[in-house]
Amino acid sequence: MKSRTWFPAILAALVLLVSACTGPDDDAASESTESAAGGIPCPEPSVMPAGGGDPITAVTLPCLGGDGEAMPLSDGAPMVINIWASWCAPCRDELPSVEAYAAKGKVAVLGVNTQDTEDAARSIVEDFGLTFPSRFDPDGTLLATLGKRVLPVTVLVTAEGTVAHTYSGPALSEDALAALVEKHLDVA
């Protein structure tokens, strides 16, 4: 008899879980894209330098919360690309340090949300108050291009579009990220 009293609660929980995992209807999608685009920074499309370096320069991804237009990752300036997901605990530990480093403006910082839902990614951006732009990579294209499977991953890219260093390990502190940038991109 006890199992019958739990059945409605379990069924309700499953319905909520399934509805949270499905995409929004067309009206909700246009509303959330408009509000997300207003709150999530997205740079104008740019062009990589001719002959641009490593295979990651061929990867184009849309802005998180943008209109879906895919853009190159790098824009001809040294940069930090931080690959993260809402479900990744070390990523969540690392994102405040990446935000603090990005706020210093010493080098461009780009986030790439991977293997996630757009709603979950936008929630993290809002909850953490992230101000650096992020791209959306639900299929893990960038991770596959880098040959990585475990998050978080931080990629340091030169102005020429070559990967100077790829860090994959415990969550970086702001100081550790700054030290990597200084060492591999020669930006103090």
Side-chain angles (χ1 to χ4, degrees):
M1 200 66 161
K2 288 183 181 180
S3 64
R4 287 186 184 172
T5 60
W6 286 100
F7 182 74
I10 291 171
L11 183 59
L14 285 173
V15 168
L16 284 173
L17 180 63
V18 169
S19 67
C21 295
T22 59
D25 63 11
D26 291 341
D27 292 335
S30 63
E31 288 173 21
S32 64
T33 300
E34 290 171 12
S35 66
I40 299 174
C42 186
E44 292 298 316
S46 61
V47 179
M48 268 301 298
D54 286 327
I56 70 161
T57 60
V59 175
T60 60
L61 298 170
C63 279
L64 179 61
D67 62 5
E69 179 183 358
M71 296 181 282
L73 297 177
S74 183
D75 64 0
M79 72 182 319
V80 172
I81 300 175
N82 182 257
I83 308 170
W84 59 276
S86 66
W87 47 263
C88 165
C91 298
R92 294 167 80 99
D93 292 341
E94 184 173 80
L95 282 170
S97 297
V98 175
E99 173 63 27
Y101 182 79
K104 291 185 175 179
K106 294 183 178 188
V107 68
V109 174
L110 177 70
V112 175
N113 173 268
T114 190
Q115 301 171 336
D116 213 340
T117 67
E118 195 166 355
D119 287 342
R122 280 188 260 167
S123 178
I124 292 296
V125 168
E126 292 167 10
D127 290 350
F128 283 73
L130 302 179
T131 60
F132 57 87
S134 282
R135 302 286 171 78
F136 185 55
D137 184 14
D139 300 324
T141 302
L142 182 56
L143 279 179
T145 301
L146 293 167
K148 298 291 182 183
R149 299 176 83 177
V150 178
L151 294 176
V153 174
T154 300
V155 184
L156 306 178
V157 181
T158 67
E160 294 76 33
T162 59
V163 174
H165 182 72
T166 303
Y167 174 84
S168 182
L172 288 167
S173 67
E174 180 184 351
D175 290 340
L177 178 55
L180 287 174
V181 169
E182 185 172 358
K183 178 179 179 181
H184 297 285
L185 296 179
D186 200 27
V187 176

